[in-house]
């Protein structure tokens, strides 16, 4: 009995000593790297197995999360929708099929699917052909009402709105609402094409040939894609532009119109948007389950996927696919996780908005919550692995860190964050959040995050034990 008591006291003493070492190492790291307070730093670290082993620094202060917001979005989606949730996109009608014709309107009903591709639409049209439909005696109508809004989020960076990483969200989307324009200039001629093919945009070629060359640019004016610049007639050139489409649901409908036409299905009427009035489904396309889709949001930090998933939460919980409804549903979810929400503001699902705010403590508690559920494997598989894949493929990849950090990165101007899990050398698993705002240079955040992750990965064999002994003697 005395031996057992002695052993317990020894274990407790070692644990307390290790915790003191860890605290000293982390405090020293913050002082060393952020010695002139060049950035606002918030940190929360917690062992998932060793009770009381934790470190906190400004852990309840509000920070701009950047793409760490996706952790809150995807965990909330799993909690409210389940990992098995699938999006549905439907072709429906209010008419009848007779003698190779559909007499009535053909509806494309969106379900908010972030993964819908041109190939998916082509497969749906092929199934229409199997019904023997060769023409539509009616209109082609798109229904984007699954979400109550379409466009961009509040607080998104205006300078970046012409890039596909800020693609518009919509209840009816295709190819992540991004259009590729390829321009080939050869033998004094300009060849331009769009992918996907559509009837929505028109390419206007204003490229001039001259002795002096000037960069070729693409300007968007409504439905016109205007190519401008000067090129030598003796020069061959190949360029590719990617742009976010400005009206996703109409664009998606125009892509379907093109596919119908290419498959010999003629539509006699007009093409426009309206809420579907029919429940007579012809073809239903289902996405991959949510557990697969969140990999794009987290591992690849895909903003479009995150925004679609975000609004789906509001739609499925409150029947309204809007930012307000989704934010309300997520705040309710966080409160059920016993997370303080007074310093949390939610304006979008991707973290593009600078109006978002969260705390290191909230992120750690979200990660701790999902760790204790049966769905953890699905979530864990969605995160980037240091030195291996996703947004961490080229980060934290030295011998101590490669494969040990499973986390979500986050970056917008003056913000660089990292939150996730660390597998320590002794098998310990730490959950952590390192939020760095008001940066003058990203170097501070990179150094701080790498050093802290290195300390955790080598726990309890940390390099500063000697320093701590000396420090304690003084």
């Amino acid at each position: 009995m005395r031996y057992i008591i002695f052993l317990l006291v020894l274990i407790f003493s070692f644990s307390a000593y290790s915790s003191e070492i860890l605290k000293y190492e982390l405090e020293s790291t913050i002082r060393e790297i952020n010695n002139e307070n060049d950035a606002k730093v918030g940190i929360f670290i917690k062992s998932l197995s060793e009770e009381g082993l934790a470190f906190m620094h400004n852990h309840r202060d509000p920070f701009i999360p950047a793409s760490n917001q996706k952790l809150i979005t995807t965990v909330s989606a799993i909690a409210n929708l389940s990992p098995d949730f699938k999006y549905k996109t439907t072709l429906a009608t209010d008419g009848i099929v007779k003698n190779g014709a559909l007499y009535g309107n053909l509806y494309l009903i969106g379900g908010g699917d972030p993964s819908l591709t041109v190939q998916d639409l082509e497969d749906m049209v092929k199934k229409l052909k199997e019904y023997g439909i060769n023409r539509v005696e009616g209109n082609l109508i798109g229904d984007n009402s699954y979400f109550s809004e379409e466009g961009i989020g509040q607080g998104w960076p205006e300078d970046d709105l012409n890039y596909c990483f800020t693609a518009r969200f919509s209840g009816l989307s295709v190819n992540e609402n991004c259009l590729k324009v390829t321009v080939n200039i050869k033998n004094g001629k300009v060849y331009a094409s769009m992918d996907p093919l559509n009837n929505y945009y028109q390419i206007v070629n204003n490229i001039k040939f001259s002795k002096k060359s000037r960069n070729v640019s693409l300007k968007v004016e409504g439905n016109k894609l205007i190519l401008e610049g000067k090129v030598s007639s003796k020069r061959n050139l190949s360029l590719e532009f990617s742009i976010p489409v400005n009206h996703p649901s109409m664009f998606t409908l125009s892509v379907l119109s093109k596919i119908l036409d290419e498959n010999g299905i003629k539509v006699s009427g007009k093409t426009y948007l309206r809420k579907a009035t029919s429940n007579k489904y012809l073809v239903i396309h289902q996405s991959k389950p949510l557990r697969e889709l969140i990999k794009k949001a987290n591992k690849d930090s895909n903003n479009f996927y995150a925004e679609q998933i975000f609004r789906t939460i509001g739609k499925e919980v409150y029947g309204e696919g809007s930012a307000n409804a989704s934010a309300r549903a997520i705040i309710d979810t966080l409160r059920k996780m016993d997370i303080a929400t007074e310093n949390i503001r939610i304006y979008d699902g991707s973290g593009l908005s600078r109006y978002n705010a969260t705390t290191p403590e909230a992120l750690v508690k979200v990660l701790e919550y999902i760790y204790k559920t049966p769905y953890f494997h699905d979530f864990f598989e969605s995160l980037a692995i240091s030195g291996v894949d996703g947004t961490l493929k080229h980060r934290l990849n030295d011998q101590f860190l490669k494969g040990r950090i499973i986390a979500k990165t986050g970056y917008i101007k003056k913000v660089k964050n990292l939150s996730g899990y660390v597998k320590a050398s002794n098998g310990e698993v730490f959950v952590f959040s390192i939020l760095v705002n008001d940066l003058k240079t990203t170097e501070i955040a990179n150094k701080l995050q790498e050093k802290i992750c290195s300390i955790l990965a080598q726990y309890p064999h940390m390099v500063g034990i000697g320093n701590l002994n000396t420090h304690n003697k003084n």
Side-chain angles (χ1 to χ4, degrees):
M1 184 68 180
R2 288 180 181 177
Y3 175 74
I4 294 173
I5 294 172
F6 171 76
L7 190 60
L8 290 172
V9 170
L10 186 64
I11 291 170
F12 178 79
S13 298
F14 179 76
S15 176
Y17 184 62
S18 296
S19 181
E20 188 181 358
I21 294 170
L22 181 62
K23 181 180 178 182
Y24 173 77
E25 280 287 288
L26 295 172
E27 287 177 344
S28 297
T29 297
I30 296 169
R31 285 196 303 269
E32 176 189 338
I33 295 175
N34 195 34
N35 60 341
E36 295 183 5
N37 293 315
D38 288 331
K40 179 185 175 185
V41 177
I43 300 170
F44 193 22
I45 299 166
K46 185 177 182 180
S47 167
L48 288 172
S49 58
E50 193 172 330
E51 189 70 30
L53 183 54
F55 176 80
M56 291 153 279
H57 178 82
N58 299 331
H59 64 297
R60 289 178 177 163
D61 289 355
F63 287 80
I64 298 172
S67 282
N68 275 204
Q69 185 75 13
K70 294 181 175 77
L71 295 172
I72 294 174
T73 300
T74 53
V75 169
S76 296
I78 290 172
N80 287 285
L81 308 176
S82 96
D84 296 319
F85 177 86
K86 293 181 180 180
Y87 288 90
K88 293 180 182 178
T89 305
T90 307
L91 286 173
T93 186
D94 53 12
I96 60 169
V97 180
K98 186 177 179 181
N99 298 327
L102 172 60
Y103 292 93
N105 297 312
L106 178 63
Y107 293 92
L108 176 62
I109 305 172
D113 187 357
S115 63
L116 192 74
T117 65
V118 171
Q119 184 62 58
D120 295 328
L121 291 178
E122 289 175 349
D123 291 343
M124 293 175 76
V125 169
K126 286 176 184 176
K127 290 182 180 179
L128 274 187
K129 294 284 286 186
E130 292 173 6
Y131 280 100
I133 298 172
N134 295 312
R135 70 182 192 276
V136 176
E137 294 296 333
N139 301 308
L140 179 61
I141 302 172
D143 181 349
N144 65 353
S145 63
Y146 185 77
F147 293 161
S148 57
E149 56 192 16
E150 177 176 285
I152 60 173
Q154 290 186 58
W156 284 16
E158 291 186 9
D159 293 343
D160 294 331
L161 296 181
N162 292 324
Y163 299 97
C164 282
F165 67 83
T166 60
R168 279 75 173 151
F169 48 80
S170 174
L172 182 57
S173 306
V174 69
N175 279 25
E176 299 179 25
N177 292 339
C178 184
L179 175 69
K180 292 182 180 179
V181 180
T182 301
V183 181
N184 288 304
I185 301 173
K186 189 175 182 180
N187 300 325
K189 293 184 178 180
V190 177
Y191 304 90
S193 61
M194 293 181 284
D195 180 20
L197 297 174
N198 64 90
N199 297 320
Y200 182 79
Y201 284 108
Q202 174 191 356
I203 295 177
V204 178
N205 176 29
N206 286 341
I207 295 174
K208 307 294 183 184
F209 290 99
S210 66
K211 292 181 180 179
K212 292 184 179 180
S213 294
R214 193 179 71 193
N215 288 341
V216 174
S217 63
L218 176 67
K219 184 169 64 175
V220 182
E221 290 184 359
N223 292 25
K224 292 183 179 180
L225 305 178
I226 303 170
L227 295 169
E228 296 179 329
K230 293 182 179 180
V231 180
S232 169
S233 58
K234 297 179 181 180
R235 185 184 178 191
N236 293 338
L237 193 62
S238 182
L239 300 168
E240 185 176 279
F241 301 92
S242 293
I243 60 166
V245 299
N246 56 24
H247 195 335
S249 47
M250 274 306 298
F251 175 78
T252 302
L253 198 58
S254 78
V255 171
L256 176 62
S257 175
K258 196 76 172 176
I259 294 171
L260 288 168
D261 189 56
E262 288 177 344
N263 282 271
I265 301 176
K266 306 299 180 183
V267 180
S268 65
K270 297 178 180 180
T271 300
Y272 57 91
L273 298 175
R274 190 185 75 191
K275 187 173 175 60
T277 57
S278 169
N279 290 323
K280 195 184 295 183
Y281 296 155
L282 298 171
V283 182
I284 298 175
H285 167 78
Q286 287 192 325
S287 71
K288 292 180 180 179
L290 182 67
R291 64 170 57 88
E292 295 298 322
L293 302 185
I294 62 172
K295 291 177 182 178
K296 290 281 287 185
N298 286 334
K299 195 178 288 286
D300 299 333
S301 204
N302 187 297
N303 295 322
F304 177 72
Y305 270 67
E307 290 302 326
Q308 297 289 107
I309 292 169
F310 171 64
R311 281 163 183 79
T312 302
I313 297 170
K315 179 66 176 181
E316 295 298 318
V317 174
Y318 291 123
E320 181 186 335
S322 69
N324 287 338
S326 297
R328 182 157 51 99
I330 291 173
I331 290 292
D332 289 346
T333 302
L334 295 178
R335 286 173 178 159
K336 290 175 185 176
M337 297 177 189
D338 198 28
I339 295 173
T341 59
E342 57 265 24
N343 281 334
I344 296 176
R345 296 193 304 272
I346 298 174
Y347 281 82
D348 68 15
S350 64
L352 280 169
S353 177
R354 300 191 74 86
Y355 299 158
N356 291 320
T358 193
T359 68
E361 180 183 55
L363 287 168
V364 164
K365 285 191 172 184
V366 165
L367 293 168
E368 184 180 16
Y369 165 84
I370 196 68
Y371 181 81
K372 296 176 180 178
T373 71
Y375 307 133
F376 176 65
H377 177 75
D378 294 322
F379 176 73
F380 188 77
E381 288 287 303
S382 79
L383 299 176
I385 304 171
S386 58
V388 176
D389 63 13
T391 55
L392 285 178
K393 186 173 184 177
H394 303 293
R395 283 191 68 191
L396 308 168
N397 56 1
D398 67 21
Q399 60 176 328
F400 297 113
L401 298 178
K402 186 174 182 179
R404 290 187 176 275
I405 317 301
I406 298 88
K408 180 74 201 75
T409 56
Y411 172 76
I412 55 177
K413 190 176 182 181
K414 294 187 178 182
V415 173
K416 194 160 192 180
N417 303 325
L418 187 69
S419 300
Y421 307 93
V422 178
K423 294 184 288 187
S425 59
N426 69 339
E428 187 90 33
V429 178
F430 289 97
V431 59
F432 74 93
S433 180
I434 308 167
L435 307 185
V436 190
N437 285 194
D438 300 336
L439 282 166
K440 294 179 181 177
T441 168
T442 57
E443 185 180 1
I444 293 173
N446 291 338
K447 285 182 177 179
L448 186 66
Q449 290 160 4
E450 184 169 346
K451 183 67 182 293
I452 290 174
C453 285
S454 182
I455 291 169
L456 297 176
Q458 296 177 73
Y459 179 85
H461 309 294
M462 294 167 289
V463 295
I465 292 177
N467 292 335
L468 179 63
N469 290 336
T470 303
H471 175 76
N472 286 342
K473 289 176 183 179
N474 290 336

